[in-house]
Each structure stands twice: as C-alpha cells, then as structure tokens.
Amino acid sequence: MRTGDKGRDKNGQPKANFEPGLILKSKIVIFAEGTRGSLFKKHSQMLDLRKGKNEEVFEEGVKEIIQMPPGSVKPGQVIHTLGFPLTKSIGGTFLYTMSDDKIALGLVTYLDTKDPLLDPHRELQKLKTHPFIAEKIKGGKVIAYGGKTLPAGGYFSMPQLFGDGWLVIGDSASMVDVQKLKGIHLAMKSGILAAEVAFSAIVKDDFSAQQLSDYDKKIKESFVGKELYRVRNFHQTLSKGILASLPLIGLQEMTGGRGLVDNMSTHQDSKATEEVSNIWGDNADKELNSLPKPDSVLFFDKLSSVYLTGTSHDEDSPNHLIVSDTDICRSKCQPKYKSPCNHFCPANVYEMIPSQASSGGQTQYDLQINYTNCIHCKTCDIKCPFDNITWTVPEGGGGPKYRET
Ligand SMILES: Cc1cc2nc3c(=O)[nH]c(=O)nc-3n(C[C@H](O)[C@H](O)[C@H](O)COP(=O)(O)OP(=O)(O)OC[C@H]3O[C@@H](n4cnc5c(N)ncnc54)[C@H](O)[C@@H]3O)c2cc1C
Ligand code: SF4
Ligand code: SF4
C-alpha cells in the first residue's frame, strides 16, 4: 500500500513540509474504508469483484443533535417514520432520545431517486415543521450536524469478499441492515472474523485466496450473513414506493425475506436521475425556495449547518474532489438537471455560478467547488448523473470533526 503524500499545495506542488507517501508492505490488506471506499472502488473495478452481483446502491443520511432543556428528555425512545417531508423520493426519518437531554433527529433518502433537486439538508429542515416533530423538539437548539451515505444493497450487493492477500469488511462490503438502518454491529463482527482469518493465514504463512476464502464462509454462517439475508430484498421493494411496497414487505416478513421475487435486482443510482421538468414541471423554483426560514436555533441554512460539523481542510492543499469534465456541467447537466450536486451535497461544496462568458442574454454557468466544506459523505461520487465526480482521500487528514453525530 502507498499512503497519500503530505504537504502539497493546491496546484499539487510540494511545499516546505512535503513528505512523500509511505510504502507499507504487508502480507494481507483489510479494506475498511466505510461507505463507497475509494481504494476498494478502484480495487474492485480492477479485479471485477462485483461481477454477477447486484449493483451497489446507497442511501444518503443527514442528522442533527438537538440539545433540549434540562430534565425534559427521557432517554431510550426510538421513533422511525416514512414519507413526510419527502414527496418525490423514498426515505424515512428517525428520532432517538438520548442521555443529557439530547435528541438525535435524522432523515435518510434513497439515492435511486429520480429527483435531480433532492436536497436532504432542506428536507431535514422541513421535517422539523411537522407538528409531531415540532412538539418533540420545542425549546431545543441544534448543536451538531452530520451527513453520510450508507450502502443499501445488502446481501446481493456484497462484492467478492476475499482474494490473494486481501479481505473487505463493513460498509465497504455493503454490510448494512437497511431495514433497521444499523451497520455498526455488522462492521464490528466482520472485522472480528477478518482478524481471525488473517491470524490463521499468518500461522500457516499462506495468504492465498484459497486460504482466505474461509472469511466468506464465516460471514455467511455468522449473524452478519443471516441478518443481511433476511432483509435482502427490502431496499429494492421500498424503492417501488411506500404504498406499493408495504404488502410486499409484509410478505417478506412472513417468508424470511423472500417475498414474491428473490433476488430483486438493483440499478445504478446515478442513472436513475430524470430531468427537472419531468419531476417538477413548473414548480422547480418553488421547491428550491422551500427551505423553512433559518433562525440559527432549530432551523439552519446549509452553510450554517456545515459550520456545526467542524469540518476543515487546508486551503492550500489539492482539491480532493475530481470533476472529470466541467463542460458537461455547463452544457448538459445545468440545462436539464439543474446541477444535482448543488442540491444533494449536504455541505454546499458545489455551486454553479454565472460565468464571465455569459453573453446574448443567455446565462452560462461554471462549476465552483468549495472543497474545504466537504464532510466526506461520498454522495457526489455516487449520484452525479454523468458519473463526473470522483471523491479521493484529502491531503493531511482534513474533514469533519464529528463528536456527537
Ligand atoms: C445517518 C446514518 C445513521 C446511522 N445510524 C446507525 C445506527 O443508529 N446504528 C448502527 O449500527 N449503524 C448506523 N449507521 C450505519 C453505520 O454508521 C455504519 O454501518 C458503520 O459506521 C460502518 O462501519 P465501518 O467501519 O464499515 O465504516 P466507517 O464507520 O465509515 O469507518 C470507516 C473509516 O475509514 C476512514 N477512511 C475511508 N477511506 C479511507 C482511506 N482511503 N484511508 C484511510 N482512512 C479511510 C473513514 O474516514 C472512516 O473513519 C448509520 C448510518 C447513517 C448514514
Ligand atoms: S458535477 Fe455532475 S452533478 Fe455536478 S454539475 Fe457537473 S455533471 Fe452535474
Ligand atoms: S463534496 Fe461530495 S463527499 Fe463532500 S460533502 Fe459534498 S457530496 Fe459529500
């Protein structure tokens, strides 16, 4: 493995503190990069590790921590809802009451949405206007914010899990129970099983795919495999719409996850996006202006929310968000899709700004990338309709400083 170079300026040139990346030699590598792992993405493309598997699909989650008045919160309450405030996308919300009078409030949306204007941050703000939620958080103040994608394809989207000298665990291997929105226990257990298999490999001094294949067997036989298998068709079913899917989900519950069709396929999230006019007709501007009025107490604009993540990146470091062709943004994406990255990014990283070249009354736009705002959710690597963005690991360990989200 080679770690990233340190101390490069924004043009990629070495600065005074430049240190080249280290080359680490190891007999076995365990990929544990979480959702949409950038190294594992390349590795699996090179070795075709997703051949014969369902497409990898994702959900985008945003979350706030709300500090409530002393003595007002009884910890341990778990509320999950479906529907409101989402009208064009599938998704749900969660409210967990915690110790120290805190409430975690979040919203998770399916990234196979057709809606190019989907903005989970805006939807989370709208959620707080619902009378049921408004009553629960009355008197509170938002103290933290975060955003992250979670892999939703589960059992049938798991890539090949082992090979010569490597294993993959947790979110990088799509190990999330999307029905419960829980993946920490699966990441931990897969890490334990990977460590056991790595230990046997070291004892036998054999790091071949054949030796490491034991990991696949252990995963399938453990609660990881069993839990993922039970919800193997859940995401695909709910993608069909809440009302249409409820009877099918009921049937899956009765048949151990099977339902009517087993295995239900998935489709690449980026390809699902449709043109703005198909989804919103004449109402696009109304939707774009539907953010509840920010008060910096319970309601926030996106930039103020980003401030609560504590995210930072060295201004004089290379942009870690690689857009392959900005002409596509200007000529194809903006006119038809109104630049979805400007909306789905939970941290206001992407902005189409009127270009200096605007002429003849026709406004042209250029993409501006405020990469220092990035909170590493990876949505842009997944949902750009032209697969035009690649997320790479930023130089120098920058990123969000999550403590509570
Ligand atoms: C909104 C939301 C709510 C959730 N709620 C719950 C819940 O209540 N309970 C639950 O069990 N699960 C929940 N999950 C899922 C859970 O967060 C994940 O399943 C779990 O964190 C996966 O663990 P992991 O170790 O695979 O990945 P991660 O926890 O994401 O850890 C991966 C780490 O690797 C780092 N990394 C990535 N790439 C590199 C690289 N190339 N080099 C070095 N480091 C790298 C990342 O910065 C990160 O720190 C939720 C997810 C979301 C999005
Ligand atoms: S980066 Fe992707 S989503 Fe953003 S404007 Fe360009 S093509 Fe559109
Ligand atoms: S730039 Fe990409 S990874 Fe960073 S916060 Fe925005 S959508 Fe997420």
Side-chain angles (χ1 to χ4, degrees), residues 184-226:
I184 294 172
H185 62 308
L186 305 179
M188 287 172 73
K189 182 67 181 174
S190 59
I192 291 168
L193 296 176
E196 285 172 11
V197 171
F199 185 73
S200 300
I202 291 166
V203 170
K204 291 186 181 155
D205 197 24
D206 178 359
F207 303 92
S208 65
Q210 196 186 4
Q211 168 68 26
L212 298 181
S213 64
D214 208 21
Y215 173 63
D216 186 77
K217 197 162 152 259
K218 279 176 179 267
I219 287 285
K220 305 269 164 67
E221 286 172 357
S222 71
F223 71 75
V224 178
K226 289 184 183 141

Side-chain angles (χ1 to χ4, degrees), residues 40-57:
F40 191 70
K41 181 178 155 190
K42 273 193 186 168
H43 180 70
S44 58
Q45 282 166 352
M46 266 158 50
L47 299 184
D48 206 6
L49 301 176
R50 298 194 179 276
K51 194 173 172 194
K53 314 282 180 184
N54 270 2
E55 199 67 57
E56 197 185 14
V57 289

Side-chain angles (χ1 to χ4, degrees), residues 20-317:
L22 299 173
I23 293 174
L24 304 173
K25 292 190 175 177
S26 74
K27 293 188 173 169
I28 182 162
V29 172
I30 301 177
F31 291 91
E33 300 172 286
T35 181
R36 190 62 154 197
S38 43
L39 280 179
F40 191 70
K41 181 178 155 190
K42 273 193 186 168
H43 180 70
S44 58
Q45 282 166 352
M46 266 158 50
L47 299 184
D48 206 6
L49 301 176
R50 298 194 179 276
K51 194 173 172 194
K53 314 282 180 184
N54 270 2
E55 199 67 57
E56 197 185 14
V57 289
F58 295 87
E59 297 171 10
E60 180 179 358
V62 283
K63 177 173 164 185
E64 288 175 342
I65 305 294
I66 303 172
Q67 180 67 61
M68 298 297 294
S72 64
V73 174
K74 191 166 167 247
Q77 194 176 16
V78 173
I79 299 171
H80 282 198
T81 69
L82 278 173
F84 184 88
L86 298 165
T87 53
K88 308 284 184 191
S89 306
I90 302 295
T93 76
F94 59 87
L95 185 152
Y96 305 145
T97 58
M98 305 188 297
S99 53
D100 301 325
D101 298 299
K102 287 177 185 157
I103 291 180
L105 182 68
L107 178 132
V108 179
T109 46
Y110 282 28
L111 283 179
D112 63 359
T113 179
K114 295 175 183 165
D115 182 9
L117 304 185
L118 170 71
D119 182 336
H121 172 271
R122 186 168 63 228
E123 297 303 312
L124 179 61
Q125 304 310 306
K126 287 186 201 166
L127 172 66
K128 290 178 279 186
T129 64
H130 191 284
F132 177 76
I133 302 289
E135 185 57 33
K136 293 259 172 221
I137 60 174
K138 202 164 134 191
K141 178 171 171 46
V142 176
I143 54 166
Y145 168 72
K148 195 158 86 93
T149 50
L150 74 158
Y155 194 87
F156 293 126
S157 290
M158 281 198 292
Q160 186 180 318
L161 298 175
F162 63 93
D164 286 320
W166 65 268
L167 301 168
V168 58
I169 66 170
D171 275 19
S172 295
S174 294
M175 293 175 185
V176 174
D177 178 338
V178 275
Q179 190 171 19
K180 293 189 187 140
L181 280 184
K182 305 260 175 280
I184 294 172
H185 62 308
L186 305 179
M188 287 172 73
K189 182 67 181 174
S190 59
I192 291 168
L193 296 176
E196 285 172 11
V197 171
F199 185 73
S200 300
I202 291 166
V203 170
K204 291 186 181 155
D205 197 24
D206 178 359
F207 303 92
S208 65
Q210 196 186 4
Q211 168 68 26
L212 298 181
S213 64
D214 208 21
Y215 173 63
D216 186 77
K217 197 162 152 259
K218 279 176 179 267
I219 287 285
K220 305 269 164 67
E221 286 172 357
S222 71
F223 71 75
V224 178
K226 289 184 183 141
E227 187 169 335
L228 292 175
Y229 191 67
R230 200 182 44 74
V231 294
R232 62 196 180 277
N233 292 309
F234 181 83
H235 174 90
Q236 299 91 306
T237 308
L238 204 54
S239 281
K240 297 189 179 308
I242 292 175
L243 286 180
S245 63
L246 285 181
L248 293 172
I249 287 173
L251 195 61
Q252 284 167 14
E253 281 296 308
M254 289 186 270
T255 55
R258 189 193 183 286
L260 282 182
V261 180
D262 203 19
N263 139 29
M264 290 176 77
S265 58
T266 53
H267 304 282
Q268 200 180 330
D269 292 326
S270 59
K271 301 294 173 232
T273 312
E274 289 191 8
E275 292 185 24
V276 171
S277 53
N278 288 0
I279 304 297
W280 290 100
D282 295 333
N283 289 322
D285 288 340
K286 192 171 165 215
E287 172 58 16
L288 290 173
N289 291 318
S290 62
L291 182 77
K293 196 167 181 288
D295 60 7
S296 298
V297 180
L298 274 175
F299 297 96
F300 284 71
D301 60 41
K302 220 185 254 187
L303 265 186
S304 310
S305 291
V306 175
Y307 179 73
L308 296 178
T309 66
T311 197
S312 67
H313 297 82
D314 185 351
E315 295 275 348
D316 191 18
S317 64

